[in-house]
Amino acid sequence: MVVKPYPFLWCYLLKLNKKPCLFESPLKLFIFELILGSLTWGGFMWLFVWQFQEQNINNLYASLMFGFLSGLWVSLEVWYYSKKLKITSWSEWLIEHDLND
């Protein structure tokens, strides 16, 4: 996952040329996944389950918890692999591998 741009599906469909997650800031990825993960989880759960139940604040907490945990997972994974591979920045990596335009 860390070698693909985030979110990969949108980058692929819109033909965006973004850098891989490994070169992004872990904090930026955490916040982005917190928001996107919470909205995705909450939206799908409401669509398939919660609309047939009465309103409950625990549903909101569950979707926020999912976004928090998935954001934590993505950011820690990026942080771990960037330290392990000693990656500093996207531009330096392109220069080191002779991939400049």
Side-chain angles (χ1 to χ4, degrees):
M1 156 131 190
V2 295
V3 296
K4 295 180 180 176
Y6 185 83
F8 176 68
L9 179 63
W10 293 113
C11 291
Y12 177 75
L13 293 175
L14 299 175
K15 305 292 186 214
L16 298 174
N17 189 13
K18 292 194 64 162
K19 59 186 173 184
C21 289
L22 198 53
F23 298 98
E24 296 281 354
S25 164
L27 180 62
K28 175 184 166 186
L29 290 173
F30 173 76
I31 293 171
F32 194 62
E33 180 65 26
L34 174 67
I35 295 167
L36 189 64
S38 297
L39 290 175
T40 303
W41 174 268
F44 280 116
M45 287 300 289
W46 181 84
L47 187 63
F48 295 115
V49 178
W50 294 339
Q51 68 175 335
F52 304 113
Q53 300 173 349
E54 65 181 60
Q55 298 291 332
N56 189 352
I57 192 69
N58 292 333
N59 297 345
L60 177 63
Y61 292 148
S63 71
L64 287 174
M65 183 59 76
F66 177 80
F68 177 80
L69 291 176
S70 61
L72 190 63
W73 179 271
V74 169
S75 62
L76 287 177
E77 186 178 23
V78 166
W79 178 77
Y80 172 75
Y81 283 113
S82 64
K83 294 296 178 196
K84 181 179 178 181
L85 300 172
K86 296 182 178 103
I87 292 176
T88 54
S89 72
W90 178 242
S91 58
E92 288 179 15
W93 188 86
L94 287 174
I95 292 170
E96 288 174 8
H97 295 87
D98 297 324
L99 297 173
N100 274 349
D101 293 333

